[in-house]
Amino acid sequence: MIHEYDTAIVGGGPAGICAALAAGKNGLKTLLIEERTFLGGQLIKQTHRFFGSEEEHAGTRGIHIANDLKSELEGMSNIDVMTSTTALGYYEDGILTALHDEKMIKIKPKSLVLATGAFERFLPFENNDLPGIFGAGAVQTLMNIYGIKPADKVLMVGSGNIGLIVSYQLIQAGVQVIGVVEAASKIGGYLVHASKLRRLGVPIMTRHTIKKAIGTDKVEGALLCELDKNWQEIEGTQKQMSCDAICLAVGLTPLADILSQMGCETTFIGELGGIVPKRTADLETTKAGVFVAGDLAGIEEASAAMLEGELAGLNAVKFVTGDERVTERIHHLKEELHGLRAGPVGEKIRYGLAQLFEDSVITSKKIESHEHDITRLAHTGIPSQENIDEKLPDEKRMIKPYAVIECFQEIPCNPCVISCPFGAIYIPKEDINQSPIVDFDKCTGCTSCISGCPGLAIFVEQRNPEQRKGTVSIPFELLNRPQKGDVVELLARDGQPIGTGVVKRILYGQKQDKTAVITVETDIDLVNKVRNIQLQRTGKKEVM
Amino acid sequence: MREDDIIICRCEDVTLGTIRELIRQGYTTLEEIKRIARCGMGPCQGKTCTPLIAREIAAITGKGIHEIMKQNHRPPFGGVTFEEIVSGRDEE
Amino acid sequence: MRIREHPILEFERGKKIQFTFNGNKIEAYEGETIAAALHAAGIWHYNESDVLKRPRGLFCAIGHCSSCLMTVDGVPNTRICVTDAVEGMVVKSENRGDIK
Amino acid sequence: MKSKADIVIIGGGIIGCAVAFNLAKKGMRNIVVLEKGFLASGATGRCGAGVRQQWGTLQNCLLAKESMTILENISDYLEEKVDIELKQRGYLLLSFSEKETEQFSKNLQVQHSLNIPSRALTAEEAGEIVPILNTEKVHSAAFCPTDGHANPFLTTEAYAKAAEKRGVEICTFTQAKAIKTENGKVKGVQTDKGYIETGRILNAAGGWAYEIGEMVGLKLPVFSERHEILVTEKVPPMLDPMVMSFSYNIYCQQTPNGSFVMGHGPKNEKPGHNVNSTWQFLEAMAQKVTYLLPDIKKVRVVRQWAGSYNISPDRQPIICESEQLPGYYMAIGFSGHGFMLGPSIGVYLSELITGETPSYDVTLDLGRFARNESIAEPSVV
């Protein structure tokens, strides 16, 4: 038999689910197929809160977004979901074959949305196939889906968002990360993620690469070297590090095989991740009625994938029914996407899309860095004192609690604005890409914003010059959470110990959603230096 | 650098040394290299090796990656057993 | 090793089951893939590669690379990273020295 | 690219490369091979790779046997150490009826006259050679242990390399666009990379043979037809010889690396250049092969593709110089057997071109159809 549908969606990640919801809510008989046993794609491996705006679920952890989307799907009777189902091929008679329930089934959809996502790149170095070398996705799958510790000591290769986030997740899972290696001269991912790692004591080695994995039957270490400006090894810079696993996070490539087999035209655009489909701004490929969304359309953040999914789904609705009522929403989604990509971190994707749409105005310009004055931060993950000073109120104001937002890079994100009950945080020009600013006249130092920040980049300080003491409140989402009254070791932005302090308050309720807000009291001079704490090995409660 | 200890295609065990030698011999398309070295014909169907080989071809020949990355994708993706095909045929 | 305590996540494990890998008993929980259970048991080295006889183990964990193929209940080339463990399953490494 | 040549060969498959090598070996200089893709990118590289000597007509048996002899000694023949992955593990032909068995015994007589070591088998004996065979409906079988298969891509490459060593210019990614004639003679070939002056051209364009005929106004009696094929994942050895059935219209072999390659002849296929794959082929193939070789049912198909058979009226190749247009040679209409006949056709055609007495006494000219001398080969898939 042949299963007929108005639209079939291949891939049950964020883009595919949003496409299915958009199609289903507008009355299409919809089929969503997903290769894995579960829906959610990469979302279900994401323990961090999402960046972006409220519309893309910003401030919510990926795992929770996945659950929200799944329960929305469950309520839709006109959407059939087939998990453990692999799309096998698309044929000239419009039949999509899929492996489902140990059968090769035939599906005839009137329109198609491909949201097959991406796969991880591999890296050539000596012994790159040794057991213990894992893709970042594999590491995330093991620890975040199955709850299995991937290794004891891991070297991360790649400092894009995936490399940085997975490193942090490894530490959350109790794994030691011995360092992050990055061949470029600057950290690739969001700098707030890098700062998060640095204050946990993880070195980020820019302009370094892995030469060789050491070991016979499994990884025992890695040989690294430094690179010059031409990406060549600098003699005499080899160094060996001991580890039991090497995690590769060197980028993603769109999974375009079924798409090109279908005869949709593709093109190579490095900025979008490799071979990508040619498609319109409405995400329609060169084959009428075949749409793409998510990483397949170009590697981007999950927030963009969700918007694209809905956009593709609505365009499928328009294609099948001719219904114009979705047009307004389509227009809105395109504006949202435009907004997400408008800032400096969106430059690569803008440049890639300009090549796709042959926009010579943009492609004639070379990508330049607009990141002013954050050079040290971009190289090391640690902001300079000048950067930090800009974020502080004047000295008189410091006797009352105030928020310090150590967010220096223009990234599309605004949960801090929403989290503040006093309206004290604002983003200039209402441009989601601008860095947030604290209005110290309104800020009460209530710490609401601390656990709301996806980058864990907000701290609340207060200084008491008379007693030469002060307090600092920090976000904390690791194991071995200290208790009130504990004497803890205080760590600076580079993870180095700088003294001790006493835990005065812990907020760990529903509102914090597992990101504890811990307030420690310490010496006044350390207030602006403390960015992490850890239980002292012998640390016992202070005598109260 | 020991090119023969650098694996490009995990499925068919093809090393960087082999790929570079083929390119030097004049095989400068993915399809030719696939047919000679079998990389891309294994279980993963070229997902991991293709971008790496394209990069090598580009580095040695000076061709743009977009020119090189043209190749055919053939179904059934991920594979399907004969039994599963027959079961689908008989599905009512 | 299985993670017992995690600052963000809670793992709901299924029923405890057992299968064999190259004759050795391996414990798993229902819902875990074979690869996940092997990893938890500390088994990283799966087999030797076909031609160059290099040691191989888990790599992508999403069924895309060919690193984890094993014979499961007699079916060769099973991607153990996307195949759930089942009570009593017989899993064997593939060393294909006999093919040439 | 040369601007002048003694012959321009259109098509870089097994035929074009084998002819080029043989001509060069005979001392012809200035040979150019034009190939619009890479070598063996057309029918040669898409074929089932088998080489069988079990035919029903004497001339097919002869050409196949001579080809196999060349392939068996390919390194000596090309004067270069090459590996074409030749494996001679036999062809097992299955008969499912009295009538087919009768045909097999007639074929065997023809084969034995050329000392081809084929023999008749009972169904049980067939089952011993292929233990996974379902012999339920098998009436009898025929087996030739020296039949086998080789890697088409490596074989074509080996010929091409040997030809290049002897001065042949092989232009890949170069397409013949037009053929210039003057006063009924071939004058040259216009390619997308320039013009080559030549008095001789060879149409060895496989699936595109008709179009290369049209370039000079010839309506060649050939058409292209899609034939599909599939390959499985690698599994431990299960099947030694190539198994073939004319009544089931299928062939199936397990290659040395462990994967199965199989295909079948299509029904009601429209002539044309469509080489898209179909799901219907997968279903038809799966049904047949799981019946014949039940143990294969758990093996995964990992890739399917199609290639063009260039089909002639009697499903036999047409090898000759055009009577209307001297200097225009053709090696077309192989109807699915170009790879296995390529080596001997290379010899035969080079002799035709240089005007020598051909080594083989065969009738393959275009005129045979007008003379009602079509070849009646009974055993084709």
Side-chain angles (χ1 to χ4, degrees), chain A residues 2 90-93 95 97 104 106 261, chain D residues 226 274 276-280 282-283 304:
Chain A
I2 288 176
Y90 184 83
Y91 295 89
E92 57 193 3
D93 52 1
I95 295 288
T97 56
M104 182 176 92
K106 281 89 64 184
Q261 183 252 326
Chain D
R226 165 170 67 181
N274 182 358
N276 289 326
S277 295
T278 68
W279 57 271
Q280 290 89 343
L282 288 184
E283 289 194 342
Q304 63 176 131

Side-chain angles (χ1 to χ4, degrees), chain A residues 385 388 392 398 400-402 404 406 459-465 468-474 490-493 498 500 520-532:
Chain A
Q385 195 56 50
I388 296 158
L392 300 176
M398 289 179 177
K400 284 189 294 176
Y402 54 91
V404 182
E406 299 197 357
F459 307 87
V460 170
E461 300 175 357
Q462 182 182 14
R463 307 189 194 197
N464 184 342
R468 300 296 303 156
K469 283 199 167 187
T471 59
V472 52
S473 304
I474 62 158
L490 306 175
L491 307 171
R493 290 184 178 85
I498 48 171
T500 56
V520 287
E521 187 181 59
T522 185
D523 187 271
I524 192 166
D525 297 329
L526 297 181
V527 165
N528 188 245
K529 294 192 171 73
V530 176
R531 285 301 175 260
N532 187 21

Side-chain angles (χ1 to χ4, degrees), chain D residues 13-16 18 43-44 47 50-51 55 67 71 152 156 206 308-310 315 317 319 331-346:
Chain D
I14 184 72
I15 303 296
T44 301
C47 79
V51 184
W55 291 86
S67 283
L71 294 177
T156 308
S308 279
Y309 274 26
N310 189 242
R315 301 205 155 225
I319 316 288
I332 61 173
F334 280 87
S335 308
H337 309 112
F339 176 64
M340 66 176 82
L341 300 179
S344 54
I345 293 295

Side-chain angles (χ1 to χ4, degrees), chain A residues 217-247:
Chain A
D217 284 346
K218 63 192 282 289
V219 170
E220 288 160 24
L223 190 65
L224 309 181
C225 71
E226 218 178 309
L227 298 174
D228 65 18
K229 281 179 187 160
N230 302 314
W231 311 89
Q232 299 301 309
E233 179 183 351
I234 300 171
E235 293 246 356
T237 60
Q238 286 191 10
K239 73 174 155 195
Q240 199 168 318
M241 290 180 91
S242 152
C243 57
D244 65 349
I246 295 164
C247 182

Side-chain angles (χ1 to χ4, degrees), chain A residues 410-483:
Chain A
E410 294 174 16
I411 50 180
C413 187
N414 68 7
C416 56
V417 177
I418 294 153
S419 70
C420 180
F422 303 99
I425 303 175
Y426 66 98
I427 280 174
K429 296 178 245 164
E430 294 196 6
D431 171 0
I432 191 167
N433 283 289
Q434 297 278 325
S435 294
I437 292 172
V438 180
D439 179 342
F440 293 112
D441 293 337
K442 291 183 182 166
C443 176
T444 66
C446 73
T447 74
S448 291
C449 52
I450 292 182
S451 48
C453 170
L456 302 187
I458 307 181
F459 307 87
V460 170
E461 300 175 357
Q462 182 182 14
R463 307 189 194 197
N464 184 342
E466 286 161 22
Q467 295 181 9
R468 300 296 303 156
K469 283 199 167 187
T471 59
V472 52
S473 304
I474 62 158
F476 188 93
E477 43 181 42
L478 302 175
L479 284 173
N480 299 324
R481 194 173 60 247
Q483 302 295 310

Side-chain angles (χ1 to χ4, degrees), chain D residues 294-312:
Chain D
D295 285 1
I296 211 173
K297 62 181 192 284
K298 297 270 186 206
V299 178
R300 267 182 214 91
V301 179
V302 293
R303 213 160 54 242
Q304 63 176 131
W305 68 93
S308 279
Y309 274 26
N310 189 242
I311 296 196
S312 73

